[in-house]
Amino acid sequence: MSEEKLRKVFAENLKRQLELHGKQPVDLVKDLDIPFSTVSNWINATKFPRMGKIELLAQYFGIKKSDLTEEAVENSEQPAYYTDPETAKIAQEIFDDSDLHALFRAARGSKPENLAMAAELLSRLKGTNPDG
Amino acid sequence: MDNVFVYYVPLPEGIDEAVLPCFDGYTIYIDSRQSSSGMERAYRHALEHIERNDFEKFDIAEIETEAKRRELS
């Protein structure tokens, strides 16, 4: 793979992981103490990170280093929003529930237990709010 | 547009906002632990669901994939 291609692949993978985890580039600056200019260079595919930074990012997202450095294989099936099928199932159940019928802005990688917890919380809040 | 009631509450990790119909409009719950720009993004996301009549649709994956696509464009 050419150097330019490596940079582009990394940039796309990094953007995908940020989206999956509901993060913004600025979160990398704050959480990992990486200069903004460095993150910007990665996102814009103008620079490729050193191996130490790839390891740091992989740990941060809880993924393999190759998830950042290797070209992703596109899934041709119908795209599912949530990456965890159990989360997707719970989100659909909450939406189908006539008492709640709720939609969320949640990270694609949200855990099913967090969505279930949110549904429980919404049920309780709905019962206490004057607007119902 | 119907009435929109907004509440700021701590939501579980990874969930920025929830919106649901109520008897005279919609209620939006925004995670109070995020940054002000995150809250604004969450509020806009909720309003778009309302304006686009997403509550009349059926498939959550389709609704959220489309909402995310709009956010990124």
Side-chain angles (χ1 to χ4, degrees), chain A residues 83-106:
Chain A
T83 52
D84 185 327
E86 186 60 24
T87 306
K89 184 169 167 272
I90 292 174
Q92 187 68 53
E93 283 170 3
I94 295 169
F95 188 60
D96 292 341
D97 181 341
S98 56
D99 284 335
L100 276 181
H101 199 36
L103 288 168
F104 297 94
R105 183 180 191 275

PDB file of all heavy atoms in Angstrom, chain A residues 83-106:
ATOM      1  N   THR A  83     -24.215  -1.285  16.202  1.00  0.00           N
ATOM      2  CA  THR A  83     -23.277  -2.344  15.852  1.00  0.00           C
ATOM      3  C   THR A  83     -23.561  -3.638  16.611  1.00  0.00           C
ATOM      4  O   THR A  83     -23.245  -4.715  16.130  1.00  0.00           O
ATOM      5  CB  THR A  83     -21.823  -1.900  16.134  1.00  0.00           C
ATOM      6  OG1 THR A  83     -21.760  -1.417  17.475  1.00  0.00           O
ATOM      7  CG2 THR A  83     -21.389  -0.806  15.178  1.00  0.00           C
ATOM      8  N   ASP A  84     -24.138  -3.518  17.804  1.00  0.00           N
ATOM      9  CA  ASP A  84     -24.481  -4.703  18.586  1.00  0.00           C
ATOM     10  C   ASP A  84     -25.932  -5.093  18.263  1.00  0.00           C
ATOM     11  O   ASP A  84     -26.853  -4.290  18.497  1.00  0.00           O
ATOM     12  CB  ASP A  84     -24.326  -4.382  20.083  1.00  0.00           C
ATOM     13  CG  ASP A  84     -24.541  -5.597  20.963  1.00  0.00           C
ATOM     14  OD1 ASP A  84     -25.366  -6.470  20.593  1.00  0.00           O
ATOM     15  OD2 ASP A  84     -23.908  -5.679  22.022  1.00  0.00           O
ATOM     16  N   PRO A  85     -26.157  -6.286  17.721  1.00  0.00           N
ATOM     17  CA  PRO A  85     -27.525  -6.689  17.359  1.00  0.00           C
ATOM     18  C   PRO A  85     -28.500  -6.633  18.530  1.00  0.00           C
ATOM     19  O   PRO A  85     -29.682  -6.344  18.351  1.00  0.00           O
ATOM     20  CB  PRO A  85     -27.361  -8.133  16.860  1.00  0.00           C
ATOM     21  CG  PRO A  85     -25.916  -8.299  16.577  1.00  0.00           C
ATOM     22  CD  PRO A  85     -25.183  -7.324  17.440  1.00  0.00           C
ATOM     23  N   GLU A  86     -28.006  -6.905  19.743  1.00  0.00           N
ATOM     24  CA  GLU A  86     -28.869  -6.863  20.926  1.00  0.00           C
ATOM     25  C   GLU A  86     -29.328  -5.425  21.202  1.00  0.00           C
ATOM     26  O   GLU A  86     -30.487  -5.193  21.566  1.00  0.00           O
ATOM     27  CB  GLU A  86     -28.090  -7.441  22.131  1.00  0.00           C
ATOM     28  CG  GLU A  86     -28.893  -7.602  23.404  1.00  0.00           C
ATOM     29  CD  GLU A  86     -30.102  -8.538  23.268  1.00  0.00           C
ATOM     30  OE1 GLU A  86     -30.103  -9.400  22.375  1.00  0.00           O
ATOM     31  OE2 GLU A  86     -31.063  -8.359  24.042  1.00  0.00           O
ATOM     32  N   THR A  87     -28.410  -4.467  21.010  1.00  0.00           N
ATOM     33  CA  THR A  87     -28.770  -3.053  21.188  1.00  0.00           C
ATOM     34  C   THR A  87     -29.824  -2.659  20.151  1.00  0.00           C
ATOM     35  O   THR A  87     -30.799  -1.973  20.471  1.00  0.00           O
ATOM     36  CB  THR A  87     -27.527  -2.153  21.035  1.00  0.00           C
ATOM     37  OG1 THR A  87     -26.520  -2.605  21.928  1.00  0.00           O
ATOM     38  CG2 THR A  87     -27.839  -0.700  21.342  1.00  0.00           C
ATOM     39  N   ALA A  88     -29.608  -3.105  18.904  1.00  0.00           N
ATOM     40  CA  ALA A  88     -30.553  -2.791  17.825  1.00  0.00           C
ATOM     41  C   ALA A  88     -31.940  -3.349  18.153  1.00  0.00           C
ATOM     42  O   ALA A  88     -32.961  -2.682  17.942  1.00  0.00           O
ATOM     43  CB  ALA A  88     -30.045  -3.378  16.511  1.00  0.00           C
ATOM     44  N   LYS A  89     -31.962  -4.563  18.713  1.00  0.00           N
ATOM     45  CA  LYS A  89     -33.242  -5.206  19.057  1.00  0.00           C
ATOM     46  C   LYS A  89     -33.960  -4.404  20.151  1.00  0.00           C
ATOM     47  O   LYS A  89     -35.162  -4.152  20.054  1.00  0.00           O
ATOM     48  CB  LYS A  89     -32.948  -6.642  19.534  1.00  0.00           C
ATOM     49  CG  LYS A  89     -34.145  -7.474  19.844  1.00  0.00           C
ATOM     50  CD  LYS A  89     -33.719  -8.940  20.039  1.00  0.00           C
ATOM     51  CE  LYS A  89     -34.829  -9.760  20.651  1.00  0.00           C
ATOM     52  NZ  LYS A  89     -34.848  -9.768  22.106  1.00  0.00           N
ATOM     53  N   ILE A  90     -33.199  -4.000  21.174  1.00  0.00           N
ATOM     54  CA  ILE A  90     -33.803  -3.246  22.280  1.00  0.00           C
ATOM     55  C   ILE A  90     -34.307  -1.882  21.779  1.00  0.00           C
ATOM     56  O   ILE A  90     -35.405  -1.446  22.134  1.00  0.00           O
ATOM     57  CB  ILE A  90     -32.801  -3.083  23.443  1.00  0.00           C
ATOM     58  CG1 ILE A  90     -32.549  -4.451  24.084  1.00  0.00           C
ATOM     59  CG2 ILE A  90     -33.286  -2.076  24.473  1.00  0.00           C
ATOM     60  CD1 ILE A  90     -31.472  -4.474  25.140  1.00  0.00           C
ATOM     61  N   ALA A  91     -33.511  -1.221  20.918  1.00  0.00           N
ATOM     62  CA  ALA A  91     -33.922   0.089  20.384  1.00  0.00           C
ATOM     63  C   ALA A  91     -35.237  -0.042  19.610  1.00  0.00           C
ATOM     64  O   ALA A  91     -36.134   0.797  19.738  1.00  0.00           O
ATOM     65  CB  ALA A  91     -32.832   0.654  19.484  1.00  0.00           C
ATOM     66  N   GLN A  92     -35.351  -1.112  18.830  1.00  0.00           N
ATOM     67  CA  GLN A  92     -36.584  -1.321  18.060  1.00  0.00           C
ATOM     68  C   GLN A  92     -37.758  -1.611  18.999  1.00  0.00           C
ATOM     69  O   GLN A  92     -38.871  -1.118  18.798  1.00  0.00           O
ATOM     70  CB  GLN A  92     -36.388  -2.470  17.057  1.00  0.00           C
ATOM     71  CG  GLN A  92     -37.546  -2.650  16.087  1.00  0.00           C
ATOM     72  CD  GLN A  92     -37.691  -1.492  15.087  1.00  0.00           C
ATOM     73  OE1 GLN A  92     -36.747  -1.133  14.411  1.00  0.00           O
ATOM     74  NE2 GLN A  92     -38.875  -0.910  15.005  1.00  0.00           N
ATOM     75  N   GLU A  93     -37.504  -2.404  20.061  1.00  0.00           N
ATOM     76  CA  GLU A  93     -38.568  -2.726  21.027  1.00  0.00           C
ATOM     77  C   GLU A  93     -39.069  -1.462  21.733  1.00  0.00           C
ATOM     78  O   GLU A  93     -40.263  -1.286  21.950  1.00  0.00           O
ATOM     79  CB  GLU A  93     -38.053  -3.733  22.070  1.00  0.00           C
ATOM     80  CG  GLU A  93     -37.991  -5.149  21.534  1.00  0.00           C
ATOM     81  CD  GLU A  93     -37.267  -6.117  22.472  1.00  0.00           C
ATOM     82  OE1 GLU A  93     -36.847  -5.719  23.574  1.00  0.00           O
ATOM     83  OE2 GLU A  93     -37.111  -7.277  22.067  1.00  0.00           O
ATOM     84  N   ILE A  94     -38.119  -0.572  22.079  1.00  0.00           N
ATOM     85  CA  ILE A  94     -38.500   0.679  22.760  1.00  0.00           C
ATOM     86  C   ILE A  94     -39.343   1.540  21.817  1.00  0.00           C
ATOM     87  O   ILE A  94     -40.324   2.150  22.220  1.00  0.00           O
ATOM     88  CB  ILE A  94     -37.237   1.452  23.223  1.00  0.00           C
ATOM     89  CG1 ILE A  94     -36.478   0.652  24.293  1.00  0.00           C
ATOM     90  CG2 ILE A  94     -37.594   2.828  23.746  1.00  0.00           C
ATOM     91  CD1 ILE A  94     -35.091   1.187  24.620  1.00  0.00           C
ATOM     92  N   PHE A  95     -38.937   1.551  20.538  1.00  0.00           N
ATOM     93  CA  PHE A  95     -39.674   2.352  19.549  1.00  0.00           C
ATOM     94  C   PHE A  95     -41.067   1.762  19.305  1.00  0.00           C
ATOM     95  O   PHE A  95     -42.043   2.496  19.113  1.00  0.00           O
ATOM     96  CB  PHE A  95     -38.874   2.412  18.253  1.00  0.00           C
ATOM     97  CG  PHE A  95     -39.450   3.366  17.231  1.00  0.00           C
ATOM     98  CD1 PHE A  95     -39.587   4.712  17.501  1.00  0.00           C
ATOM     99  CD2 PHE A  95     -39.854   2.910  15.982  1.00  0.00           C
ATOM    100  CE1 PHE A  95     -40.115   5.596  16.571  1.00  0.00           C
ATOM    101  CE2 PHE A  95     -40.392   3.778  15.050  1.00  0.00           C
ATOM    102  CZ  PHE A  95     -40.523   5.125  15.339  1.00  0.00           C
ATOM    103  N   ASP A  96     -41.150   0.443  19.321  1.00  0.00           N
ATOM    104  CA  ASP A  96     -42.434  -0.230  19.069  1.00  0.00           C
ATOM    105  C   ASP A  96     -43.365  -0.202  20.282  1.00  0.00           C
ATOM    106  O   ASP A  96     -44.559  -0.467  20.151  1.00  0.00           O
ATOM    107  CB  ASP A  96     -42.196  -1.696  18.660  1.00  0.00           C
ATOM    108  CG  ASP A  96     -41.520  -1.800  17.299  1.00  0.00           C
ATOM    109  OD1 ASP A  96     -41.568  -0.814  16.543  1.00  0.00           O
ATOM    110  OD2 ASP A  96     -40.942  -2.865  17.004  1.00  0.00           O
ATOM    111  N   ASP A  97     -42.804   0.086  21.458  1.00  0.00           N
ATOM    112  CA  ASP A  97     -43.591   0.115  22.688  1.00  0.00           C
ATOM    113  C   ASP A  97     -44.511   1.344  22.667  1.00  0.00           C
ATOM    114  O   ASP A  97     -44.052   2.484  22.683  1.00  0.00           O
ATOM    115  CB  ASP A  97     -42.612   0.189  23.884  1.00  0.00           C
ATOM    116  CG  ASP A  97     -43.325   0.204  25.224  1.00  0.00           C
ATOM    117  OD1 ASP A  97     -44.535   0.525  25.261  1.00  0.00           O
ATOM    118  OD2 ASP A  97     -42.668  -0.078  26.233  1.00  0.00           O
ATOM    119  N   SER A  98     -45.810   1.131  22.633  1.00  0.00           N
ATOM    120  CA  SER A  98     -46.737   2.261  22.484  1.00  0.00           C
ATOM    121  C   SER A  98     -46.701   3.203  23.692  1.00  0.00           C
ATOM    122  O   SER A  98     -47.060   4.367  23.579  1.00  0.00           O
ATOM    123  CB  SER A  98     -48.152   1.753  22.243  1.00  0.00           C
ATOM    124  OG  SER A  98     -48.534   0.900  23.288  1.00  0.00           O
ATOM    125  N   ASP A  99     -46.257   2.726  24.860  1.00  0.00           N
ATOM    126  CA  ASP A  99     -46.174   3.599  26.032  1.00  0.00           C
ATOM    127  C   ASP A  99     -44.982   4.543  25.948  1.00  0.00           C
ATOM    128  O   ASP A  99     -44.994   5.641  26.484  1.00  0.00           O
ATOM    129  CB  ASP A  99     -46.048   2.770  27.324  1.00  0.00           C
ATOM    130  CG  ASP A  99     -47.381   2.172  27.707  1.00  0.00           C
ATOM    131  OD1 ASP A  99     -48.407   2.742  27.301  1.00  0.00           O
ATOM    132  OD2 ASP A  99     -47.388   1.126  28.370  1.00  0.00           O
ATOM    133  N   LEU A 100     -43.915   4.110  25.290  1.00  0.00           N
ATOM    134  CA  LEU A 100     -42.711   4.941  25.189  1.00  0.00           C
ATOM    135  C   LEU A 100     -42.568   5.541  23.795  1.00  0.00           C
ATOM    136  O   LEU A 100     -42.513   6.736  23.617  1.00  0.00           O
ATOM    137  CB  LEU A 100     -41.462   4.114  25.518  1.00  0.00           C
ATOM    138  CG  LEU A 100     -41.103   3.968  26.981  1.00  0.00           C
ATOM    139  CD1 LEU A 100     -39.835   3.145  27.128  1.00  0.00           C
ATOM    140  CD2 LEU A 100     -40.911   5.322  27.646  1.00  0.00           C
ATOM    141  N   HIS A 101     -42.436   4.673  22.792  1.00  0.00           N
ATOM    142  CA  HIS A 101     -42.285   5.085  21.386  1.00  0.00           C
ATOM    143  C   HIS A 101     -41.139   6.103  21.259  1.00  0.00           C
ATOM    144  O   HIS A 101     -41.276   7.152  20.622  1.00  0.00           O
ATOM    145  CB  HIS A 101     -43.610   5.674  20.891  1.00  0.00           C
ATOM    146  CG  HIS A 101     -43.722   5.706  19.391  1.00  0.00           C
ATOM    147  ND1 HIS A 101     -43.204   4.736  18.573  1.00  0.00           N
ATOM    148  CD2 HIS A 101     -44.286   6.618  18.552  1.00  0.00           C
ATOM    149  CE1 HIS A 101     -43.452   5.043  17.317  1.00  0.00           C
ATOM    150  NE2 HIS A 101     -44.099   6.171  17.270  1.00  0.00           N
ATOM    151  N   ALA A 102     -39.986   5.769  21.885  1.00  0.00           N
ATOM    152  CA  ALA A 102     -38.892   6.739  21.984  1.00  0.00           C
ATOM    153  C   ALA A 102     -37.823   6.528  20.925  1.00  0.00           C
ATOM    154  O   ALA A 102     -37.549   5.408  20.493  1.00  0.00           O
ATOM    155  CB  ALA A 102     -38.253   6.641  23.367  1.00  0.00           C
ATOM    156  N   LEU A 103     -37.224   7.659  20.514  1.00  0.00           N
ATOM    157  CA  LEU A 103     -36.057   7.646  19.631  1.00  0.00           C
ATOM    158  C   LEU A 103     -34.891   8.249  20.398  1.00  0.00           C
ATOM    159  O   LEU A 103     -35.072   9.146  21.217  1.00  0.00           O
ATOM    160  CB  LEU A 103     -36.332   8.469  18.374  1.00  0.00           C
ATOM    161  CG  LEU A 103     -37.312   7.858  17.370  1.00  0.00           C
ATOM    162  CD1 LEU A 103     -37.715   8.901  16.335  1.00  0.00           C
ATOM    163  CD2 LEU A 103     -36.687   6.652  16.687  1.00  0.00           C
ATOM    164  N   PHE A 104     -33.690   7.769  20.100  1.00  0.00           N
ATOM    165  CA  PHE A 104     -32.504   8.224  20.825  1.00  0.00           C
ATOM    166  C   PHE A 104     -31.475   8.839  19.892  1.00  0.00           C
ATOM    167  O   PHE A 104     -31.442   8.525  18.706  1.00  0.00           O
ATOM    168  CB  PHE A 104     -31.809   7.041  21.513  1.00  0.00           C
ATOM    169  CG  PHE A 104     -32.639   6.368  22.556  1.00  0.00           C
ATOM    170  CD1 PHE A 104     -33.402   5.258  22.238  1.00  0.00           C
ATOM    171  CD2 PHE A 104     -32.651   6.844  23.856  1.00  0.00           C
ATOM    172  CE1 PHE A 104     -34.180   4.630  23.190  1.00  0.00           C
ATOM    173  CE2 PHE A 104     -33.427   6.223  24.818  1.00  0.00           C
ATOM    174  CZ  PHE A 104     -34.189   5.105  24.490  1.00  0.00           C
ATOM    175  N   ARG A 105     -30.622   9.678  20.464  1.00  0.00           N
ATOM    176  CA  ARG A 105     -29.362   9.988  19.807  1.00  0.00           C
ATOM    177  C   ARG A 105     -28.330   9.261  20.653  1.00  0.00           C
ATOM    178  O   ARG A 105     -27.989   9.703  21.749  1.00  0.00           O
ATOM    179  CB  ARG A 105     -29.062  11.481  19.780  1.00  0.00           C
ATOM    180  CG  ARG A 105     -27.765  11.794  19.023  1.00  0.00           C
ATOM    181  CD  ARG A 105     -27.467  13.274  18.984  1.00  0.00           C
ATOM    182  NE  ARG A 105     -26.383  13.569  18.045  1.00  0.00           N
ATOM    183  CZ  ARG A 105     -25.093  13.506  18.348  1.00  0.00           C
ATOM    184  NH1 ARG A 105     -24.708  13.156  19.560  1.00  0.00           N
ATOM    185  NH2 ARG A 105     -24.185  13.772  17.433  1.00  0.00           N
ATOM    186  N   ALA A 106     -27.892   8.125  20.151  1.00  0.00           N
ATOM    187  CA  ALA A 106     -26.974   7.291  20.924  1.00  0.00           C
ATOM    188  C   ALA A 106     -25.820   6.852  20.029  1.00  0.00           C
ATOM    189  O   ALA A 106     -25.972   6.765  18.809  1.00  0.00           O
ATOM    190  CB  ALA A 106     -27.706   6.069  21.459  1.00  0.00           C
TER     191      ALA A 106
END
